[in-house]
Amino acid sequence: MGTPVFVLAGLLVHCVFLASIFDIYFTSPLVHGMTPQQTLLPSPAKRLVLFVADGLRADSLYELDSNSTPRAPFLRSILENNGSWGISHTHVPTESRPGHVALIAGFYEDVSAVAKGWKENPVEFDSVFNESRYTWSWGSPDILPMFAKGASGDHVYTFCYTAESEDFGTQDASRLDTWVFDHVKSFFNSSRNNQTLYSALNEEKVVLFLHLLGIDTNGHAHRPNSREYKENIRKVDEGVKEIASMLENFYGNDGKTAFILTSDHGMTDWGSHGAGHPSETLTPLIAWGAGVNYPQRVASQFFEDNFLKEWKLENLKRLDVNQADIAPLMASLIGVPFPLNSVGTLPLEYLNNSAYFKAESMFTNAVQILEQFKVKMTQKKETTLSFLFMPFKPLSDSEQINLLKKTRLYIQQEKYDEAVSLCKALIILALEGLSYYHTYDRLFLGLSIAMGFVGWTAYVILVIIKTHTNLTKAAQSHDKESTILLYCFAFVGMIIAFFLLIQMCPWTYYVYCLLPVPVWYAVVKELHIIQDLAANLLSLHVGRSMGFLLVCALGIETLVFSFFYRSTLTVGLLVFAGWPVITQLWVRAKTTALIWILLCVLLAIFPLMPVVGREPNIPLVIAAGLLTLLISCSFLASLCKSKNKYMNNEDLIVQFYQMLSIALSTYVVSSTHNSLQNKQGLPVLNQIISWTTLVSSSVSPLLSPTFLFQRLFSILLSLMSTYLLLSTGYEALFLLVLSGLMFVWINMEQEALQHYSFSRKPKLAVFNFSYATDIMQFRQLHLDDVRRSFFFVFFIVTAFFGTGNIASVNSFEPASVYCFLTVFSPFVMGGLLVLKVVIPFVLVSCAFEAVQVTTQLSSKSISHYVLVMSLTIFMMLMNGLAQLLTTKRLELSRKTKHHFT
């Protein structure tokens, strides 16, 4: 297989591996074809008012102020005197769209909806709004339209402010909530002059939905402990009080209005959400009005947290629910069918009704979830061969009938507690069965992918050994054996395809299950290489081999642990600092080794620091910008002092422009921060400079000379100017230290190359990327290249986890993009945050490209080896980007002179 074909095959195979993760683990759990289930008893409420205070934490609402007064006096009086309260436990991802789907539709969002910015669900679903007779809603254009779009018929109405109103950087965001309250009041006042609307408002099964985004916006902009966030809670409390009073007056105090106040998600102390920290998953739930239980006084109650004592609510019964449980609660209160896809369990303790009503409602809830189980089981049974189908035994057909009959009998005998207990048991079994059938093929597909992955890894290793080492002998071809082998694997592939065909499997199943066939055929075809390799390994010194394997195992474990414990990176970097001493490189290049040790120690500090973004520190960003300018001036001075004949006037202009970009970026960061603190919004000039810098930084490196250090330094300045604009604290200094270490790494590898006498040491100052990549004679791989590749993988991991962790990546925290925009835009903001994560990768990849070409190693062969170790496509993509940035040059004129050495 030729090198280009091999690389293409590698990318395709790894694309399949990557896609399989989402296809196997993140498929939609929703099913269709169920019959709506509804309790036929009279409902306690004619209408329901749902207040969702976006981004409101449970502790922020329930806790008392420093002077022991409630932050939300009206809601506090409700939970103490008129209603029930508790904590609603949300699920990851703690974003607005998934939270609202759980609240209103009763199920947890299909993860693939992230590709649509959590604005649409890829699969249609039912909701309480859809089942209502009328729903009127007010609030954000990012939330309301998706429920109106999914509703059947024209009975869900939305009133939204403009998307531009959701600005994190201008005036107090509580005005968004004031808009909602004012428009609700205006709407009801106008209905008195509109008989059609007035009649509709007086119908049964009506829902009024008030989405209050101000708290979330203020939390992002100022943090949850800020005065703005807490003041917004007070304004929401006042608004809820006014709306409740207005509705009671409008409906003549008929006692038929139920109220629920909750939140879609919480927020961390540093103003982000999306992950699973308790501050993000614990949200308040307060219900009162028609059909809702009054406060229940208790002598004591136990919860694992200590919130009750802090909130001084020890004697009021706390009723915790899962977020999806709120949907069946709302459906029960106004007497509409439970949402078809709901997996919530009706929280009976919130209901103020007869035991008979509770038992019937619970029975309806159980049947509704059981219907989903039956549809899911039927779908799986129809697409599986009968002798291969393995049903969910705890809930067989006979067991379903038995449980339903027994429950109905208990209700008829007025044994309501027993009936409720049986319904809860049935719900638990049905949910377990849903999960069982949803993940039915997961093991089978996972094994197929694992076989393909192991086979591909083995094949890559064999190719590297065959083409870049002298461990194997030339093999004689046996056409007859190859033909028989080909027929055998082709037969296996046909058998697999036949089984998939008769089971009517999706086309992706064919890809995952058939991929191992050609991969393992390629491995077995190289059997002679495996035999030669085994013979060579057996001839090696046992102690040395075991030592090498032990070091490799420790290195891999270090990488694995770094995914969970950032401090592991610190240990690794400190070990790296000792590399020159252990290998005697210290003797050859004391100055370079000393700088290497210093930078390794400096870089080791960052993984010990708090995750970036939690506490903004703009002075550190400014310091990083000024340091970059200082280093740029020193670099430029050294070039001028040496009278570098490889640098002309155009190159100097590019260098000055990049330095100007650094200076402007530093200014914009400081200026924007001050402007936002004063609530003056994002200055237009700053926004123009930021976007111009972002665009120009992708082009300016291509205008610089392709000599090694000049091109790498140009890449650093371009990326640094953008990274400064995306920084909020010490991460700007992290990138600067990481870049310095990369430059020293290149020099250290040159010393190592000469130390092991692989070849003569080239002059890096005059080394040209564009000529180096044309070299055809590359040396064979050596054991030291394993260490070199490990360094690269370790630096890539450090670039990712050095300033954060998984929780910081999947949390939404917009402060990093305020220099570019402050109006909420999930795709643009998400793209900028991804760019921020990618920039350190690009710098490390460019440094590794320099290491490859200066140590006379085939760029592609090293990429294959790294591919085996890192198990990702990303490394190869970064390698290609690094080659583009380091080797290509845009010519502004044809007068540029080229100098050869």
Side-chain angles (χ1 to χ4, degrees), residues 569-737:
L569 296 173
T570 298
V571 177
L573 288 166
L574 292 177
V575 173
F576 280 13
W579 170 52
V581 179
I582 298 171
T583 58
Q584 300 299 313
L585 290 176
W586 170 270
V587 179
R588 295 186 55 85
K590 291 185 178 180
T591 303
T592 306
L594 186 62
I595 298 173
W596 166 269
I597 293 171
L598 176 63
L599 290 176
C600 280
V601 172
L602 284 176
L603 194 63
I605 297 172
F606 290 97
L608 299 176
M609 299 177 73
V611 172
V612 71
R614 296 187 175 182
E615 293 296 335
N617 196 328
I618 300 302
L620 288 181
V621 182
I622 297 172
L626 295 177
L627 273 174
T628 307
L629 278 176
L630 181 62
I631 295 170
S632 302
C633 293
S634 301
F635 182 78
L636 189 62
S638 65
L639 288 178
C640 296
K641 186 177 180 181
S642 62
K643 298 180 180 179
N644 194 313
K645 60 180 179 180
Y646 309 115
M647 199 169 191
N648 54 36
N649 291 334
E650 289 183 1
D651 299 335
L652 288 173
I653 292 173
V654 172
Q655 175 94 19
F656 278 121
Y657 171 76
Q658 291 180 316
M659 293 173 63
L660 177 63
S661 295
I662 294 291
L664 287 174
S665 295
T666 306
Y667 164 77
V668 166
V669 169
S670 175
S671 173
T672 300
H673 178 71
N674 292 334
S675 179
L676 294 179
Q677 272 198 327
N678 296 326
K679 298 182 180 179
Q680 296 174 348
L682 171 61
V684 176
L685 178 61
N686 290 10
Q687 191 174 23
I688 293 172
I689 293 174
S690 298
W691 284 106
T692 303
T693 300
L694 175 62
V695 174
S696 64
S697 65
S698 61
V699 178
S700 54
L702 303 178
L703 300 172
S704 64
T706 54
F707 294 101
L708 188 140
F709 284 125
Q710 292 182 42
R711 173 54 67 94
L712 290 180
F713 195 74
S714 177
I715 293 171
L716 168 61
L717 292 182
S718 296
L719 297 180
M720 193 68 184
S721 61
T722 301
Y723 200 78
L724 286 170
L725 295 170
L726 294 168
S727 297
T728 60
Y730 69 82
E731 71 267 35
L733 290 173
F734 168 81
L735 189 70
L736 198 57
V737 175

Side-chain angles (χ1 to χ4, degrees), residues 380-521:
K380 185 52 60 181
K381 195 171 184 179
E382 290 175 350
T383 58
T384 307
L385 294 176
S386 57
F387 66 90
L388 292 177
F389 180 70
M390 298 175 63
F392 182 67
K393 294 181 181 179
L395 203 55
S396 61
D397 291 344
S398 59
E399 184 66 17
Q400 294 175 38
I401 295 172
N402 179 48
L403 288 172
L404 291 174
K405 283 184 176 180
K406 190 179 292 186
T407 304
R408 178 51 64 191
L409 181 61
Y410 279 146
I411 293 176
Q412 291 173 355
Q413 295 174 347
E414 298 184 3
K415 296 180 180 179
Y416 300 125
D417 291 338
E418 290 86 344
V420 167
S421 297
L422 210 55
C423 287
K424 290 181 178 179
L426 179 57
I427 288 174
I428 291 172
L429 285 175
L431 291 176
E432 290 177 355
L434 273 173
S435 177
Y436 172 79
Y437 286 118
H438 180 60
T439 60
Y440 189 84
D441 295 328
R442 186 171 292 178
L443 178 61
F444 162 65
L445 294 175
L447 289 174
S448 298
I449 292 297
M451 288 182 63
F453 189 84
V454 173
W456 176 252
T457 302
Y459 179 65
V460 170
I461 293 174
L462 292 175
V463 169
I464 292 174
I465 292 172
K466 181 179 179 180
T467 58
H468 295 286
T469 71
N470 57 1
L471 297 178
T472 60
K473 302 174 183 177
Q476 298 179 353
S477 59
H478 301 282
D479 294 338
K480 186 177 180 180
E481 292 180 4
S482 298
T483 303
I484 294 174
L485 191 64
L486 178 62
Y487 285 152
C488 289
F489 276 89
F491 178 73
V492 171
M494 291 174 63
I495 295 296
I496 294 173
F498 175 73
F499 271 96
L500 294 175
L501 181 64
I502 60 178
Q503 294 186 101
M504 297 179 290
C505 294
W507 67 269
T508 52
Y509 281 37
Y510 289 83
V511 177
Y512 304 146
C513 297
L514 291 175
L515 178 63
V517 177
V519 169
W520 278 104
Y521 166 73

Side-chain angles (χ1 to χ4, degrees), residues 206-250:
V206 167
V207 176
L208 305 173
F209 172 41
L210 283 71
H211 176 240
L212 308 169
L213 186 62
I215 293 175
D216 182 76
T217 307
N218 270 321
H220 285 307
H222 306 290
R223 307 295 188 261
N225 292 319
S226 65
R227 178 187 59 81
E228 290 83 358
Y229 185 89
K230 295 175 181 178
E231 185 60 33
N232 203 152
I233 294 175
R234 290 190 179 89
K235 290 184 178 179
V236 165
D237 181 67
E238 293 170 1
V240 170
K241 179 181 180 180
E242 292 173 3
I243 295 298
S245 176
M246 179 206 70
L247 291 176
E248 293 296 345
N249 292 332
F250 183 86

Side-chain angles (χ1 to χ4, degrees), residues 259-399:
F259 299 89
I260 291 179
L261 180 137
T262 186
S263 176
D264 52 349
H265 57 75
M267 186 172 289
T268 61
D269 289 339
W270 49 95
S272 70
H273 57 81
H277 191 275
S279 61
E280 299 168 270
T281 60
L282 303 183
T283 59
L285 173 61
I286 301 176
W288 71 99
V292 179
N293 234 339
Y294 287 98
Q296 302 174 52
R297 308 286 172 177
V298 293
S300 64
Q301 50 186 329
F302 174 76
F303 287 89
E304 291 184 359
D305 54 59
N306 296 316
F307 292 138
L308 289 173
K309 189 174 182 180
E310 294 177 13
W311 301 338
K312 299 191 185 315
L313 292 171
E314 310 97 296
N315 299 322
L316 286 174
K317 190 170 184 180
R318 170 177 149 186
L319 306 173
D320 284 14
V321 301
N322 289 318
Q323 193 172 46
D325 298 340
I326 297 175
L329 174 61
M330 293 191 293
S332 178
L333 287 172
I334 58 175
V336 300
F338 290 92
L340 293 174
N341 301 113
S342 172
V343 294
T345 302
L346 178 62
L348 293 179
E349 289 187 285
Y350 275 86
L351 296 180
N352 181 18
N353 217 311
S354 65
Y356 174 56
F357 180 88
K358 292 180 180 180
E360 283 289 353
S361 298
M362 204 69 196
F363 181 76
T364 304
N365 190 187
V367 172
Q368 170 258 323
I369 295 177
L370 184 62
E371 282 291 311
Q372 296 181 69
F373 166 80
K374 291 163 69 174
V375 170
K376 194 78 171 179
M377 181 183 67
T378 302
Q379 290 178 352
K380 185 52 60 181
K381 195 171 184 179
E382 290 175 350
T383 58
T384 307
L385 294 176
S386 57
F387 66 90
L388 292 177
F389 180 70
M390 298 175 63
F392 182 67
K393 294 181 181 179
L395 203 55
S396 61
D397 291 344
S398 59
E399 184 66 17

